[in-house]
């Protein structure tokens, strides 16, 4: 995993006025109530679900989905879905543009994210990630065998994992090269014969007149500042999620070929969907 900085820095955040702060309050306060209230409900349900169901989570992922749908509604970001999430054993991969991806992809389905280990230590976000069953991985090659085993165990337990092969988020206007490392777990015995990988394309459309990159979160951008800028937008845009046909792992030669195939499908759909708005600061 690495941080992407791009060829051009983000536009300077606009100075927030009274109207902006009013929108932040009207959206942010109920958003916090929904997110952290949902977290409390989820943790209470886990007290019953965990001893009864073990690694299986038949109830709490649906709480996460409901909370994320409510969060997007409160923010004002509409989302459209094309295709359907896979139903068989396997995992999903998607392009990564923003912290908003977590809400967007959870709102469409029940899924467990794969995230860098540092996120577990972030205040607020780390708590949410741990509670919702996120798999944390370290940026250390020596950890690869343990991570492969973790992926295998979670998949065999019926969990559908979703990871971002780009390894970082971008400005929402491009697809970065896919790294093949995390695909290796699905070529182990017991998974290669039964698993499929489903590519998922996420495309953000900025509101009219806004910087096309407004939803992108990259480089040295601070989460708090970007969060406030999104909440302060007078009008929100739209995000489109496209679920592509799953790719059977057994039909692909190796992890690099699988990563390239997923990248190609996502890249083609992304560029077909993305508007040609010019970047204006």
């Amino acid at each position: 995993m690495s941080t992407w900085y791009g060829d051009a820095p983000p536009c300077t955040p606009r100075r927030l006025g009274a109207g902006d702060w009013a929108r932040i309050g009207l959206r942010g306060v109920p958003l916090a109530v929904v997110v952290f209230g949902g977290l409390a409900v989820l943790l209470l349900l886990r007290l019953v679900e965990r001893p009864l169901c073990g690694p299986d989570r038949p109830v709490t992922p649906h709480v996460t989905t409901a909370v994320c749908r409510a969060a997007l509604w409160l923010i004002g970001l509409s989302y459209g879905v094309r295709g359907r999430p896979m139903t068989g054993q396997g995992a999903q991969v998607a392009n990564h543009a923003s912290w908003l991806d977590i809400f967007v992809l959870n709102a469409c389905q029940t899924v467990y994210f794969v995230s860098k280990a540092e996120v577990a230590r972030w205040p607020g976000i780390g708590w949410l990630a741990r509670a919702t069953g996120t798999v944390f991985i370290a940026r250390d090659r020596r950890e690869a065998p343990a991570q492969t085993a973790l992926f295998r165990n979670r998949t065999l337990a019926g969990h559908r994992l979703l990871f971002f092969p780009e390894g970082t988020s971008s400005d929402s206007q491009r697809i970065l090269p896919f790294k093949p490392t995390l695909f290796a777990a699905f070529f182990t015995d017991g998974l290669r014969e039964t698993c499929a990988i489903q590519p998922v394309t996420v495309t953000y459309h900025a509101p009219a007149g806004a910087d096309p990159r407004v939803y992108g979160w990259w480089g040295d951008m601070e989460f708090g500042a970007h969060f406030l800028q999104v909440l302060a937008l007078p009008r929100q845009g739209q995000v489109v999620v496209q679920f592509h046909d799953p790719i059977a792992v057994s039909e692909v030669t190796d992890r690099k070929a699988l990563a390239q195939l997923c990248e190609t499908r996502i890249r083609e759909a992304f560029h077909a969907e993305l508007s040609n708005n010019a970047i204006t600061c």
Side-chain angles (χ1 to χ4, degrees):
M1 292 184 179
S2 59
T3 300
W4 180 80
Y5 288 91
D7 300 324
C11 297
T12 303
R14 63 188 181 87
R15 187 172 182 178
L16 300 176
D20 296 315
W21 285 108
R23 283 187 290 273
I24 290 171
L26 289 172
R27 291 168 175 166
V29 171
L31 179 62
V33 171
V34 166
V35 170
F36 289 101
L39 174 61
V41 171
L42 187 149
L43 291 175
L44 288 172
L45 289 173
R46 280 296 290 159
L47 293 176
V48 178
E49 185 183 59
R50 185 169 185 174
L52 290 179
C53 305
D56 193 17
R57 295 186 179 215
V59 178
T60 50
H62 299 287
V63 175
T64 303
T65 297
V67 167
C68 289
R69 288 177 179 174
L72 291 177
W73 182 79
L74 289 169
I75 293 171
L77 181 65
S78 63
Y79 68 97
V81 178
R82 298 175 185 169
R84 294 182 178 181
M86 63 186 295
T87 56
Q89 190 178 66
Q92 295 175 334
V93 296
N95 57 301
H96 192 20
S98 174
W99 53 269
L100 283 163
D101 296 343
I102 306 303
F103 289 101
V104 170
L105 291 165
N106 263 320
C108 302
Q109 59 183 332
T110 58
V111 70
Y112 301 94
F113 287 91
V114 177
S115 177
K116 57 186 179 181
E118 300 94 289
V119 173
R121 299 190 294 271
W122 291 1
I125 296 177
W127 306 333
L128 292 169
R130 288 195 298 270
T132 53
T134 298
V135 176
F136 296 106
I137 58 174
R139 305 181 185 183
D140 189 338
R141 293 178 180 271
R142 294 172 296 182
E143 297 293 328
Q147 291 169 4
T148 296
L150 180 59
F151 272 43
R152 185 176 186 276
N153 293 338
R154 290 289 294 267
T155 302
L156 291 175
H159 295 183
R160 180 162 301 112
L161 302 180
L162 187 151
F163 58 97
F164 301 110
E166 292 165 295
T168 183
S169 54
S170 72
D171 61 358
S172 79
Q173 298 297 292
R174 68 199 72 228
I175 305 295
L176 303 176
F178 278 21
K179 297 176 174 61
T181 305
L182 295 182
F183 289 89
F186 301 95
F187 285 87
T188 58
D189 292 340
L191 291 187
R192 180 168 187 171
E193 299 79 10
T194 59
C195 283
I197 303 296
Q198 183 175 38
V200 182
T201 303
V202 181
T203 313
Y204 289 90
H205 297 275
D211 181 349
R213 306 173 298 170
V214 68
Y215 295 118
W217 180 49
W218 76 98
D220 292 326
M221 297 174 70
E222 295 183 359
F223 168 74
H226 188 253
F227 177 73
L228 292 177
Q229 289 287 326
V230 170
L231 290 188
L233 288 170
R235 290 179 297 172
Q236 294 288 353
Q238 182 189 37
V239 57
V240 177
V241 180
Q242 300 180 63
F243 292 97
H244 304 289
D245 291 338
I247 301 168
V249 177
S250 61
E251 297 178 1
V252 184
T253 55
D254 55 35
R255 62 186 176 90
K256 291 183 179 180
L258 182 55
Q260 184 60 58
L261 183 55
C262 290
E263 179 185 336
T264 298
R265 290 194 182 179
I266 290 174
R267 187 181 298 277
E268 289 176 350
F270 178 83
H271 287 297
E273 174 66 31
L274 189 66
S275 61
N276 294 318
N277 293 335
I279 297 175
T280 57
C281 298

